[in-house]
Amino acid sequence: MAESLTFKFDVDGSDFTSAGQASVKVKKNLRQLGLSPEIIRRVSIAMYEGEINMVIHAGGGTATVTVSEQDITILLSDRGPGIKDIDKAMQEGFSTASDNVRSLGFGAGMGLPNMKRYTDFMEIRSIVGEGTDITMKVNIK
């Protein structure tokens, strides 16, 4: 693969049934590119957690996945309320999800920690009232 490939997805924030569609498509695309099951698993988990977070907290957003020879970069971008305290949000079990979201089985406070756990690099840029951009990378080599 001499050049990078980019896949872009809109994440619909209006209902949970569509959450995860982008990560399923990325998994299929990575499989077609012949990447290892372990790389695909890590990218899929990080993508899914990010998608769910965008649905729960931000009303959706966009996911851009770029595959190069060295790594897979995932950029998640939303125009939601932003993250007030990133350090606190990174703590396992911390969640600002509503009771309604929790009753659906989401909002356990593992999204951001899992995103970090399954990637080799993660950076969060968030402005309260404007939105959040999260960049993650999974090394291929």
Side-chain angles (χ1 to χ4, degrees), residues 11 15-17 28 41 43 49 61 64 77 85 88 92 103 123-124 132:
V11 178
D15 84 286
F16 283 94
T17 58
K28 181 181 173 193
R41 184 179 78 84
V43 169
E49 295 284 12
T64 306
S77 186
D85 186 337
K88 197 176 226 181
E92 291 188 9
S103 74
E123 178 183 68
I124 301 172
T132 302

Side-chain angles (χ1 to χ4, degrees), residues 2-23:
E3 299 176 30
S4 63
L5 290 172
T6 300
F7 309 103
K8 189 167 183 172
F9 305 93
D10 289 320
V11 178
D12 181 0
S14 64
D15 84 286
F16 283 94
T17 58
S18 65
Q21 287 181 352
S23 58

Side-chain angles (χ1 to χ4, degrees), residues 14-82:
S14 64
D15 84 286
F16 283 94
T17 58
S18 65
Q21 287 181 352
S23 58
V24 169
K25 289 176 185 168
V26 166
K27 180 190 282 189
K28 181 181 173 193
N29 291 344
L30 296 179
R31 205 176 283 138
Q32 288 174 341
L33 291 172
L35 291 161
S36 77
E38 177 60 16
I39 296 292
I40 294 169
R41 184 179 78 84
R42 292 175 61 207
V43 169
S44 297
I45 291 169
M47 275 280 302
Y48 179 78
E49 295 284 12
E51 281 182 83
I52 292 297
N53 277 354
M54 285 194 283
V55 172
I56 291 172
H57 302 290
T62 60
T64 306
V65 179
T66 303
V67 182
S68 73
E69 288 188 25
Q70 293 77 32
D71 57 38
I72 299 166
T73 302
I74 304 161
L75 173 60
L76 305 174
S77 186
D78 69 57
R79 296 295 144 239

